[in-house]
C-alpha cells in the first residue's frame, strides 16, 4: 500500500489461486499485479520477474509437516532458484526479509550486522542464515545486488500469526499482562 501510494508498480507472487480475487478493483490488493507460481519451481514465476527493478523476498518457512532437514533443503532450493531467476531477469536488487534469529539465542547488549550468524538446529534461524549466505555469495560474485533486512518481529494490518495468537493466549489465560494492563505497550 505504501509503495502504491508513491506510484510504484507492485506485483506479488502467490501459490494460492484463490487469492487472485484480492487483486480485483474492490479487493485488498487492488492495483497489485498478482502472478501465480511456486518458489520451488522458478519456471512457474520467471515471467513475473521480467522488467522488475526490485524483488522483495518475504516468503517465510512456516512448516506444519516434514522434517527439519526437508525444510532446510527446500529453503535453500527456493532461495537458489529465486537468486538465479532474478539474475537472469536482470533484476536490479533483491531485498531479502530475514530474521534476527540468525544470531542465535541468548543475546544481550548491542547487536550489529557485524555479529556472525550461526546455525544451531533451530529451523527459522538456520534457514534464514543459510538463505542469507546464498544471497551474499551472489552479491559478492556480482551476479545480483542484495540487501538483507533482519526483522525482530513482523506484524501489521494483515498479520495472521503473532497478534492473533497473542490475543487467543490472553483470552484463554495462557499469557500474562505485565502491570495493571493500563500502560502503553512498547513493541520495537
Amino acid at each position: 500500500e505504501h509503495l502504491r501510494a508513491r506510484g510504484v508498480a507492485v506485483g506479488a507472487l502467490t501459490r494460492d489461486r484463490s487469492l487472485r480475487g484480492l487483486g480485483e478493483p474492490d479487493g485488498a490488493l487492488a492495483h497489485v499485479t498478482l502472478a501465480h507460481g511456486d518458489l520451488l519451481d522458478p519456471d512457474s514465476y520467471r515471467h513475473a520477474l521480467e522488467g522488475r527493478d526490485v524483488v522483495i523476498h518475504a516468503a517465510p518457512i512456516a512448516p506444519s509437516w516434514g522434517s527439519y532437514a526437508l525444510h532446510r533443503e527446500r529453503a535453500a532450493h527456493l532461495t537458489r532458484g529465486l537468486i538465479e531467476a532474478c539474475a537472469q531477469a536482470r533484476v536490479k536488487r533483491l531485498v531479502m526479509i530475514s530474521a534476527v534469529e540468525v544470531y542465535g539465542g541468548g543475546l544481550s547488549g548491542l547487536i550489529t550486522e557485524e555479529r556472525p550468524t550461526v546455525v544451531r538446529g533451530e529451523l527459522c534461524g538456520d534457514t534464514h542464515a543459510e538463505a542469507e549466505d546464498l544471497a551474499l555469495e551472489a552479491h559478492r560474485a556480482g551476479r545480483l545486488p542484495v540487501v538483507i533486512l533482519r526483522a525482530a518481529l513482523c506484524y501489521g494490518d494483515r498479520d495472521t500469526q503473532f497478534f492473533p495468537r497473542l490475543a487467543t493466549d490472553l483470552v484463554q489465560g495462557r499469557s500474562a499482562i505485565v502491570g495493571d494492563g493500563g500502560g502503553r505497550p512498547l513493541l520495537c
Side-chain angles (χ1 to χ4, degrees), residues 3-140:
L3 293 172
R4 289 293 309 144
R6 293 180 180 183
V8 176
V10 177
L13 179 70
T14 176
R15 286 185 311 182
D16 188 347
R17 289 187 188 272
S18 69
L19 295 179
R20 293 178 82 73
L22 294 175
E24 298 302 319
D26 60 345
L29 298 177
H31 308 294
V32 173
T33 304
L34 295 178
H36 181 262
D38 185 336
L39 284 176
L40 291 170
D41 178 12
D43 289 334
S44 74
Y45 64 81
R46 199 175 308 276
H47 66 283
L49 299 176
E50 295 301 324
R52 296 290 174 187
D53 291 331
V54 177
V55 169
I56 300 172
H57 176 32
I61 298 298
S64 58
W65 55 267
S67 69
Y68 169 82
L70 173 68
H71 287 291
R72 281 183 66 189
E73 178 184 320
R74 288 170 58 96
H77 174 75
L78 73 83
T79 301
R80 271 190 215 95
L82 180 61
I83 289 167
E84 293 310 315
C86 285
Q88 289 171 3
R90 301 197 191 291
V91 169
K92 294 178 184 168
R93 177 164 290 128
L94 173 65
V95 177
M96 290 188 63
I97 308 298
S98 188
V100 296
E101 283 83 4
V102 299
Y103 297 124
L107 301 175
S108 63
L110 180 64
I111 307 298
T112 70
E113 60 271 7
E114 282 79 31
R115 183 183 185 96
T117 61
V118 296
V119 173
R120 61 185 176 105
E122 191 278 316
L123 186 63
C124 177
D126 294 355
T127 55
H128 280 294
E130 291 165 347
E132 285 186 19
D133 288 345
L134 292 168
L136 289 172
E137 178 182 303
H139 179 81
R140 289 183 191 114

Side-chain angles (χ1 to χ4, degrees), residues 154-172:
C154 294
Y155 63 94
D157 293 346
R158 292 184 188 85
D159 172 28
T160 61
Q161 298 296 315
F162 177 71
F163 278 108
R165 287 194 327 230
L166 176 60
T168 299
D169 287 349
L170 285 169
V171 168
Q172 295 179 355

